[in-house]
Amino acid sequence: LKRRDRSWSSWSLTFPSIPSPLGKNDETGPAMNEMRDRCSSAEYNDDMHKFAERRKTSQALLRDAQKDDREGQLLLGTFMGVFVPTTQNILGIILFIRLPFITAQAGIFEASTIVLMACISSCLTSLSMSAIATNGRVSAGGCYQIIKKSLGNEFGGVVGILLFLSNNFGVAMYVLGFVEALQFAFPEATFFGRDEDGEYKDKLNDYRVVGTFTLVFLASVVYVGISYISKFAVLFLSGVLMAIFSIFLGVFVKTGFPDKDKGVVGLTWDNFSTNWSSDYTDYEGETYSYAMLLALFFPAVTDPLAGSNLSGDLQDAAKSIPPGTLAAVAFTTAIFLSQVVLTGGCVLREELLNNALIVTDVGWPVPHLIFAGIMLSTLGAGLQSLAGAPRLLAAIAHDDLIPALRPLVPEPGQEPRRIVILCGFLSLSVLMLGELNNVAPFITMWFLTCYSIINGACFILAFDSAPGFRPAWKYFHWSTSLAGSVICLGMMFFIYWEFALAALFFSFFLYKFMERQALLKLNEAEQAMESGDVSEEQKQRADWASTMRFTKVRKALLDLKEHDVEFKYWRPFILFLCKIHEVDGTYVPQKGMINLISQLMKRGKGMSFVAGVVKGTFSHQTASLAKAANRHLRLTLQQKGIDGFPEVVVASTIAEGQRFLIQGKGFGVLRPNTVMMGFPGNLESMSSTGKRDYVSVVRDTAISGKTLMVCKGTVDFPNNDEVLTGFVDVWWVFDILPARGLLLLIPYLLQQSKVWRSTRMRLFVVTGFEENHDQLQATLEAMLVAAGIKAGVHVLQMNAKDAPRYTHMSHQEMPSGSNNLNPLHGGTTMMDVAQKAAEHVEDMAVLERDGSFSESPSMNQLTEYLAYVSLDMTNPSPGSSSMKQATEQEQEAAIPENEQMSPSENHITHHEPVSKKNKESSSMGRRGSSAFLASDKYGSRLTAAFKKYSSESALAVIALPKMNRNQNPEDYLDSLSVLIEDLHRVIMVQESGNERVQLYG
């Protein structure tokens, strides 16, 4: 293979002389000639051209991925972009003003534990954040974007909003700290003056006014741009470090030259041992405790994520964030601990408690150096918080997770100046609290909630070994994230459990709101996919919980055994064989039959597959059509509110595809137990091949051991927003409990839906003249009462030859395990069942007289009854009624002419449960009841019975008649069509013998 020039579209093929088993040992063999002709064809050249174009596109994408789209923008490294802002945020007002007070109350030991506990939680969160930050490329948006890409929009949005609120509260806290230090350093700097004792006349408003001016200055710097923030950051941090160094140096200087008048005694063992233990006292009317001091200190270490907030301004965020953040946390932790030990050992407890700026007396050489450091630290931390908050909110607004933020989205490459103004006003509103101690607990709770969420989600991803979670940061383990989450949650409830619950509830509300927004966007993306107008970001939506759901489902499927799905409480697991359009793949409505699935699931809590077949050979075209059809079906399921899954396959014929779905659909032992399909709409226009294929699917369903539901309607099945009234009729024809009671369970499940709730169920039982009517009537009533099913019982006595579709099936063709009680092939009759039940249940006449049918039979009686119902009905005893059947002529001769019923008489025995007024009518029409019903062309009077009693019903449920051996598919389908032609809606159920239905306890 040789290349002629550097163009990918210009190639030539030369073949060396090699021994060829298919031709001569040169370049003229038949195989070589064929290959040469193929490679020189226009089709081959076109393929090579397409390959060259794809390669160019791939190279362009690679260049774009490697190219930094921030050309001309000032990019920061690890020190300036991560270490400096993180250190600056941590070394704030708490270090200088509140840590000495905490040491006085808690003592050196407990104060050190407070520092360590807070810093450990911060360090563990930094480890989790480092793992997330190194899991792929980091873009602008800071912590929000980093978490969103790894954990999904919902978690990213929640964390982003919590950090945004924390930063805004933090700005107010830092500004108030600055004002407090300013007025300590310059007592005359007051707007409302002081009284004769030197106390503020209006301290609260003084803080508010000075704070407002300070906040305006910080907002102006942030409004100008990030380059000025980084320049100010170095200046501010330098001043802070100089102040800290001055304090530490002053401790050792004052040890040699103590200033006992100010309480600075220097490092002495007596003072150190005195301040070692705690001494919690009241201060300004407030009783302090360990939890309160922890809440007061925690804001000092609450922003190790400051560096990640500037991720869009870093040269390499993945390389800078982990080391820069951890180095800053370690450095500041050492400073905090040193401050506790040195000031606690150097200053008397009373001065630590009452002098908020005692560090200015400790510092050397001049106190104003400490004042400058305090003010610079507060201004620097406030500046970093005010710089990070707008970028977080801008990223959230850009992703449209909160629609109300859309007007605030900045132009590409522009500073989020409108959001800076918004953040300024929010911080100003918090600033109006006017007291540092009132703001700090809020910041603590927001940050602890945020940290617990980050650690918890990172733990789930790492513990479940999610393939998409591949952090390059190697100093990470899921146990550190778990520990961080537990510590943060524990601290939240330890500090203030009411506020902790409120913060968690607020976070949960945010999560559900953003989850809804994400689902709406996902639905829009699915709709856009139909036209191909969908972005890669929409296709690849991260979801933190997906790995957890997959792990649970995987374990459950592996633990699921065969007997688990054969549980006695049958659930509908339906495979609906639907129709799809052969051109565009859209779902073809079939009289609204798909609505039955969601209505059955209301109480059944089952599952469903809605499956279709694309006819043709498997190719790119048919595969694309199948994908489009799958998307259409998914949207249809969502619109119909159906809990299920779409599936579309490609097959040479529709029947072949449906056969494949029946056999192969499912996973492990979790497979559909019921197949649902529509009855052919127009048999006259249906080809003979189509009829044979349809009947073959019916037969294949029986062979596969699945129940079949064939639906047909002259009117549409109702939508989920309709409400039906009328009757739902169940017909038992020469059979008791067909499909082991499934014919009763299906309408019962439907009636749990609001669509069918207003309907009433009726049970029609067709039996022969040899049955003991009273005994059968009582048995059926007791059975329905015991099953908890409200239905009227109607008994129709009919000759066996009047229902040939149900009595001419050979016994060998019955499904394995069937309990069909057909008297024509030697089965036990319904009267036999009633007699067997009567032998083990108390006398039915007594139960009827005393009204016991209003109560369920005892458990022992019911258990014995059910045991006899489930006996093998194919082995009747010699004395059974099936051995004593009279011929049709003998039955007709036994009916006196004057006792024959007129056509207008009700020839159905009717009984409503627990209704004594109908008991007298139960003796009506026990003989000759079908004599006045017209026969159809197949000699069946059952068709007329269906028409007379169920033609106006909302739904009829009957057993699907079996096809006789000598019957062809055309005649079989025609006979079914004639049988149900007068019914509005009908479900024909073909039992498999494998139904696991128990209507009773």
Side-chain angles (χ1 to χ4, degrees):
L1 185 65
K2 296 182 180 179
R3 185 177 175 186
R4 278 195 280 185
D5 53 34
R6 300 192 62 83
S7 173
W8 279 96
S9 60
S10 301
W11 288 77
S12 66
L13 292 172
T14 59
F15 300 92
S17 298
I18 56 175
S20 174
L22 301 177
K24 298 179 181 180
N25 190 15
D26 54 24
E27 298 183 6
T28 60
M32 290 298 182
N33 291 332
E34 181 181 356
M35 186 175 294
R36 184 182 292 108
D37 293 339
R38 182 179 179 183
C39 292
S40 62
S41 64
E43 181 181 358
Y44 174 79
N45 291 331
D46 184 59
D47 290 341
M48 290 304 298
H49 179 73
K50 290 180 180 179
F51 169 75
E53 292 298 325
R54 286 197 298 269
R55 185 179 186 279
K56 290 179 181 178
T57 303
S58 301
Q59 289 178 331
L61 291 174
L62 181 60
R63 286 193 300 270
D64 291 341
Q66 294 174 343
K67 180 181 178 181
D68 201 329
D69 55 1
R70 301 167 295 176
E71 292 180 1
Q73 182 179 346
L74 176 63
L75 300 179
L76 307 174
T78 301
F79 181 77
M80 292 298 299
V82 180
F83 180 83
V84 170
T86 303
T87 303
Q88 193 172 359
N89 268 28
I90 295 177
L91 298 179
I93 187 65
I94 302 296
L95 172 68
F96 297 103
I97 297 181
R98 291 296 179 261
L99 191 56
F101 175 81
I102 293 172
T103 305
Q105 290 276 2
I108 296 174
F109 174 73
E110 291 188 14
S112 299
T113 61
I114 289 175
V115 171
L116 285 175
M117 187 178 299
C119 291
I120 286 174
S121 67
S122 179
C123 182
L124 293 175
T125 304
S126 299
L127 289 174
S128 298
M129 197 63 209
S130 298
I132 297 174
T134 57
N135 184 43
R137 187 183 179 188
V138 181
S139 58
C143 184
Y144 161 71
Q145 284 289 355
I146 296 172
I147 294 176
K148 186 192 78 168
K149 288 190 175 181
S150 293
L151 308 181
N153 291 339
E154 298 85 349
F155 260 116
V158 171
V159 170
I161 291 295
L162 291 177
L163 287 177
F164 171 76
L165 293 174
S166 303
N167 285 327
N168 273 282
F169 275 80
V171 171
M173 183 188 72
Y174 296 133
V175 170
L176 289 173
F178 169 79
V179 174
E180 187 173 338
L182 178 67
Q183 296 198 346
F184 266 106
F186 306 99
E188 66 279 1
T190 173
F191 281 88
F192 298 95
R194 297 175 182 264
D195 56 20
E196 296 178 353
D197 298 330
E199 300 293 333
Y200 290 101
K201 293 182 179 180
D202 195 345
K203 180 180 179 180
L204 184 61
N205 285 326
D206 260 335
Y207 276 32
R208 289 171 176 170
V209 173
V210 177
T212 300
F213 282 109
T214 306
L215 182 60
V216 171
F217 167 73
L218 295 178
S220 300
V221 175
V222 175
Y223 190 88
V224 173
I226 188 67
S227 60
Y228 293 91
I229 296 176
S230 60
K231 292 176 182 179
F232 276 99
V234 177
L235 174 63
F236 291 157
L237 183 59
S238 300
V240 172
L241 294 178
M242 288 180 61
I244 294 172
F245 180 75
S246 175
I247 294 172
F248 290 171
L249 183 61
V251 169
F252 294 101
V253 171
K254 296 298 173 67
T255 301
F257 304 95
D259 189 356
K260 295 184 179 180
D261 294 338
K262 295 183 179 180
V264 182
V265 297
L267 285 173
T268 63
W269 177 254
D270 291 340
N271 190 62
F272 187 86
S273 59
T274 301
N275 292 342
W276 177 258
S277 58
S278 61
D279 184 15
Y280 296 105
T281 58
D282 292 346
Y283 182 78
E284 295 184 353
E286 189 76 35
T287 302
Y288 285 85
S289 62
Y290 187 90
M292 292 182 64
L293 294 177
L294 179 60
L296 185 60
F297 173 76
F298 196 83
V301 296
T302 50
D303 208 1
L305 309 181
S308 63
N309 289 342
L310 302 176
S311 60
D313 303 295
L314 298 175
Q315 295 176 359
D316 191 336
K319 289 184 178 180
S320 297
I321 290 176
T325 302
L326 292 173
V329 171
F331 177 68
T332 54
T333 301
I335 291 177
F336 282 125
L337 288 175
S338 300
Q339 176 89 320
V340 169
V341 173
L342 294 178
T343 57
C346 180
V347 183
L348 295 177
R349 185 188 296 269
E350 184 178 356
E351 291 298 323
L352 291 172
L353 184 65
N354 297 316
N355 188 355
L357 287 174
I358 186 62
V359 292
T360 60
D361 295 327
V362 176
W364 185 87
V366 291
H368 287 86
L369 187 61
I370 311 300
F371 280 119
I374 293 174
M375 288 185 285
L376 289 175
S377 71
T378 53
L379 290 176
L383 196 61
Q384 294 294 340
S385 296
L386 195 56
R391 283 162 172 75
L392 280 173
L393 196 62
I396 295 173
H398 180 268
D399 290 337
D400 202 22
L401 292 180
I402 302 179
L405 299 178
R406 291 171 186 169
L408 301 178
V409 178
E411 296 295 329
Q414 299 296 319
E415 294 286 337
R417 290 189 169 89
R418 282 174 290 185
I419 302 182
V420 171
I421 297 174
L422 173 65
C423 292
F425 280 106
L426 291 176
S427 298
L428 182 62
S429 63
V430 180
L431 183 65
M432 293 299 105
L433 293 174
E435 178 59 41
L436 180 63
N437 291 354
N438 294 336
V439 179
F442 288 95
I443 302 173
T444 298
M445 284 299 166
W446 293 135
F447 271 111
L448 281 174
T449 305
C450 180
Y451 289 175
S452 62
I453 291 174
I454 293 174
N455 285 306
C458 195
F459 157 70
I460 292 173
L461 288 174
F463 184 78
D464 286 341
S465 300
F469 187 64
R470 304 180 301 275
W473 179 249
K474 60 181 179 180
Y475 303 105
F476 167 76
H477 191 262
W478 60 262
S479 58
T480 60
S481 295
L482 176 62
S485 182
V486 171
I487 290 175
C488 291
L489 284 173
M491 290 171 63
M492 288 174 61
F493 284 92
F494 178 69
I495 293 171
Y496 196 2
W497 67 267
E498 294 94 340
F499 201 106
L501 288 176
L504 292 176
F505 178 78
F506 175 73
S507 302
F508 178 77
F509 170 79
L510 275 178
Y511 179 85
K512 299 306 292 184
F513 175 80
M514 293 185 181
E515 183 182 47
R516 181 176 179 273
Q517 295 299 317
L519 289 176
L520 291 176
K521 290 185 66 177
L522 186 62
N523 292 338
E524 292 175 1
E526 289 181 348
Q527 293 175 0
M529 287 178 69
E530 297 181 14
S531 59
D533 184 19
V534 60
S535 65
E536 285 297 323
E537 184 179 358
Q538 289 175 315
K539 293 179 182 178
Q540 300 175 357
R541 174 179 174 266
D543 185 359
W544 73 276
S546 60
T547 178
M548 184 170 60
R549 289 195 299 267
F550 175 79
T551 301
K552 287 183 178 180
V553 171
R554 176 181 178 274
K555 185 178 185 303
L557 285 174
L558 292 175
D559 291 341
L560 197 64
K561 306 303 178 185
E562 190 71 35
H563 62 273
D564 294 333
V565 295
E566 295 179 356
F567 195 63
K568 66 180 181 179
Y569 298 116
W570 183 87
R571 295 181 184 275
F573 193 169
I574 296 173
L575 171 63
F576 177 44
L577 302 177
C578 70
K579 293 182 180 179
I580 59 176
H581 199 279
E582 59 184 8
V583 177
D584 56 10
T586 55
Y587 168 71
V588 178
Q590 297 170 266
K591 293 290 186 179
M593 297 172 194
I594 194 172
N595 299 320
L596 284 174
I597 300 176
S598 61
Q599 294 155 15
L600 280 171
M601 300 299 173
K602 175 66 177 178
R603 179 68 181 269
K605 301 297 182 184
M607 295 177 64
S608 65
F609 288 109
V610 178
V613 180
V614 172
K615 183 179 178 181
T617 57
F618 190 71
S619 62
H620 288 292
Q621 182 179 0
T622 54
S624 299
L625 181 59
K627 288 182 181 179
N630 196 292
R631 291 195 297 269
H632 287 303
L633 286 180
R634 183 181 297 109
L635 291 175
T636 302
L637 294 182
Q638 292 175 356
Q639 294 168 0
K640 299 288 186 181
I642 297 174
D643 297 329
F645 308 94
E647 185 63 63
V648 179
V649 298
V650 179
S652 57
T653 64
I654 300 296
E656 188 65 29
Q658 292 177 339
R659 186 177 296 111
F660 168 76
L661 290 169
I662 293 172
Q663 295 182 64
K665 199 59 196 164
F667 198 86
V669 299
L670 193 64
R671 297 182 178 275
N673 56 17
T674 305
V675 176
M676 188 171 81
M677 58 191 301
F679 191 79
N682 192 346
L683 287 177
E684 296 180 357
S685 61
M686 192 174 184
S687 65
S688 298
T689 303
K691 294 178 180 179
R692 287 195 299 270
D693 287 345
Y694 186 90
V695 174
S696 70
V697 173
V698 174
R699 185 183 298 111
D700 294 339
T701 304
I703 294 174
S704 65
K706 302 181 188 298
T707 305
L708 176 66
M709 293 170 54
V710 179
C711 306
K712 183 180 183 297
T714 57
V715 296
D716 288 353
F717 284 81
N719 292 319
N720 291 331
D721 55 355
E722 297 182 43
V723 177
L724 294 185
T725 57
F727 296 104
V728 175
D729 295 339
V730 179
W731 285 81
W732 291 355
V733 182
F734 294 114
D735 194 359
I736 188 169
L737 282 178
R740 289 183 171 85
L742 190 58
L743 269 68
L744 280 176
L745 185 60
I746 289 174
Y748 171 79
L749 294 177
L750 287 175
Q751 287 182 326
Q752 307 311 304
S753 169
K754 65 178 182 180
V755 178
W756 301 87
R757 192 170 296 159
S758 300
T759 60
R760 291 185 293 167
M761 193 189 308
R762 298 188 299 186
L763 174 62
F764 289 88
V765 181
V766 179
T767 181
F769 289 98
E770 73 284 355
E771 300 288 357
N772 186 325
H773 175 272
D774 290 337
Q775 198 80 346
L776 178 61
Q777 183 78 38
T779 301
L780 294 175
E781 290 170 353
M783 180 183 65
L784 292 181
V785 171
I789 294 179
K790 298 179 181 179
V793 180
H794 307 260
V795 179
L796 171 63
Q797 292 179 307
M798 181 180 294
N799 291 316
K801 77 177 188 66
D802 290 335
R805 296 177 180 85
Y806 290 89
T807 57
H808 290 168
M809 182 184 71
S810 69
H811 179 58
Q812 288 76 10
E813 290 181 300
M814 294 169 57
S816 175
S818 173
N819 62 341
N820 189 286
L821 307 180
N822 188 344
L824 294 186
H825 50 73
T828 305
T829 64
M830 293 181 181
M831 187 173 64
D832 296 326
V833 177
Q835 290 173 346
K836 291 177 182 292
E839 293 174 4
H840 296 274
V841 184
E842 294 181 7
D843 183 70
M844 293 294 179
V846 176
L847 292 176
E848 185 175 5
R849 282 197 304 273
D850 62 18
S852 297
F853 283 142
S854 61
E855 301 176 0
S856 300
S858 68
M859 183 59 67
N860 291 335
Q861 294 169 344
L862 184 57
T863 303
E864 293 176 358
Y865 168 74
L866 294 174
Y868 275 88
V869 169
S870 60
L871 288 174
D872 183 5
M873 298 303 181
T874 61
N875 298 309
S877 60
S880 67
S881 62
S882 62
M883 305 294 291
K884 305 174 183 179
Q885 294 184 41
T887 63
E888 179 186 357
Q889 292 79 9
E890 291 173 337
Q891 292 172 344
E892 292 178 352
I895 305 174
E897 183 176 354
N898 58 358
E899 293 182 17
Q900 297 289 341
M901 299 173 61
S902 66
S904 62
E905 287 184 280
N906 181 9
H907 58 269
I908 295 273
T909 299
H910 173 267
H911 187 86
E912 294 287 348
V914 203
S915 178
K916 294 183 179 180
K917 67 180 182 179
N918 293 324
K919 292 177 183 177
E920 295 179 359
S921 66
S922 63
S923 61
M924 293 179 57
R926 299 179 187 173
R927 288 176 170 241
S929 57
S930 63
F932 305 103
L933 295 174
S935 300
D936 61 19
K937 65 180 182 179
Y938 290 93
S940 174
R941 294 180 178 180
L942 191 60
T943 305
F946 285 169
K947 179 179 180 180
K948 182 175 179 64
Y949 298 102
S950 296
S951 60
E952 299 299 325
S953 298
L955 177 67
V957 183
I958 65 176
L960 179 68
K962 304 298 187 293
M963 186 172 70
N964 295 329
R965 279 187 174 180
N966 299 325
Q967 194 175 23
N968 59 52
E970 291 83 353
D971 290 341
Y972 175 63
L973 292 178
D974 183 69
S975 68
L976 292 181
S977 178
V978 171
L979 178 67
I980 61 177
E981 63 182 353
D982 296 311
L983 301 177
H984 285 327
R985 304 180 189 91
V986 61
I987 300 177
M988 295 181 285
V989 180
Q990 174 181 271
E991 63 176 302
S992 65
N994 297 321
E995 288 81 7
R996 296 293 185 268
V997 181
Q998 188 166 335
L999 296 175
Y1000 316 95

